[in-house]
Amino acid sequence: MNDAIDASEHLTDWLRNAHAMEQQSEAMLKTMADRLEHYPDLHARTVEHLNETRWQREQLEGCLERLGTSPSTLKDITGKLMAFGESAVAMMSSDEVVKGAMGAYVFEHMEIASYTVLIRAAEAVGDQQTKLVCEQILQQEVAMADWLLQHLPSTTSHFLSRSARPGVKAKN
Ligand code: MG
Ligand code: FE
């Protein structure tokens, strides 16, 4: 009896997880973008990354199709997410912009870890196309994480001054 799992099976499994992660990301970025009317820079960057995220999801679907995973299998895993992403998701779902920005930053790092793993796994099975896709996605996630960190202080200041003003909705 051979219960060994080869690298290509792991690659497919991790690609499916990444696809579910991007679906989750898409939903959260959309929700966040709708709440950022008073934060034009953060709003613009969130919308930009929302568009990147849709592109990422499509790229992952292409990788899975090439590896022989049917679209119906893809539907089954919608909404599935690794447990350690849950606190990030909870923060991003908050209606407070500072928590949202923190959660987005944490979530980007889950994505960075995922694509770092996927790049090495794609190398291991000699899947150059998947490797290239994951390298491109990784760059977008790193850029978004950097941007969020760089803008956390100004987002915090803006939130605090709005929060202290009477008549302004304190939570965002
Ligand atoms: Mg992503
Ligand atoms: Fe991302």
Side-chain angles (χ1 to χ4, degrees), residues 2 15 39 41 61 70 90 107 109 167 170:
N2 185 1
L15 279 169
Y39 299 81
D41 293 353
E61 283 163 11
S70 72
F107 196 92
H109 282 82

Side-chain angles (χ1 to χ4, degrees):
M1 195 193 205
N2 185 1
D3 60 359
I5 299 173
D6 69 17
S8 70
E9 274 182 75
H10 286 299
L11 177 63
T12 304
D13 182 42
W14 294 338
L15 279 169
R16 278 202 200 102
N17 287 339
H19 183 269
M21 179 176 74
E22 295 304 348
Q23 285 179 314
Q24 183 97 44
S25 175
E26 194 176 327
M28 288 186 304
L29 290 167
K30 219 151 102 189
T31 305
M32 260 188 78
D34 289 343
R35 292 184 189 137
L36 294 171
E37 50 176 320
H38 303 296
Y39 299 81
D41 293 353
L42 186 56
H43 179 265
R45 190 64 180 94
T46 300
V47 169
E48 188 186 353
H49 197 58
L50 175 59
N51 290 325
E52 288 174 341
T53 299
R54 289 183 176 131
W55 177 85
Q56 294 170 1
R57 177 178 49 70
E58 288 164 9
Q59 293 299 309
L60 293 171
E61 283 163 11
C63 292
L64 283 163
E65 270 161 36
R66 278 187 299 100
L67 291 164
T69 300
S70 72
S72 63
T73 314
L74 276 178
K75 277 178 201 136
D76 296 339
I77 49 109
T78 305
K80 184 180 154 197
L81 194 74
M82 283 162 283
F84 56 81
E86 272 168 25
S87 58
V89 172
M91 279 192 284
M92 274 179 90
S93 306
S94 161
D95 58 359
E96 188 189 285
V97 63
V98 171
K99 285 178 190 158
M102 285 173 71
Y105 178 73
V106 173
F107 196 92
E108 290 307 323
H109 282 82
M110 189 173 69
E111 295 183 300
I112 288 168
S114 299
Y115 291 109
T116 301
V117 167
L118 279 167
I119 288 165
R120 179 51 60 89
E123 268 170 20
V125 307
D127 185 344
Q128 290 306 315
Q129 186 61 33
T130 297
K131 186 188 171 202
L132 185 67
V133 162
C134 292
E135 283 170 345
Q136 289 173 315
I137 296 177
L138 179 62
Q139 280 182 19
Q140 295 174 336
E141 312 298 23
V142 168
M144 181 60 171
D146 287 350
W147 192 96
L148 286 166
L149 183 61
Q150 225 174 349
H151 290 78
L152 263 182
S154 58
T155 301
T156 305
S157 296
H158 193 171
F159 171 81
L160 289 174
S161 68
R162 282 183 56 77
S163 184
R165 244 181 286 159
V168 171
K169 235 177 103 192
K171 280 217 156 179
N172 51 38

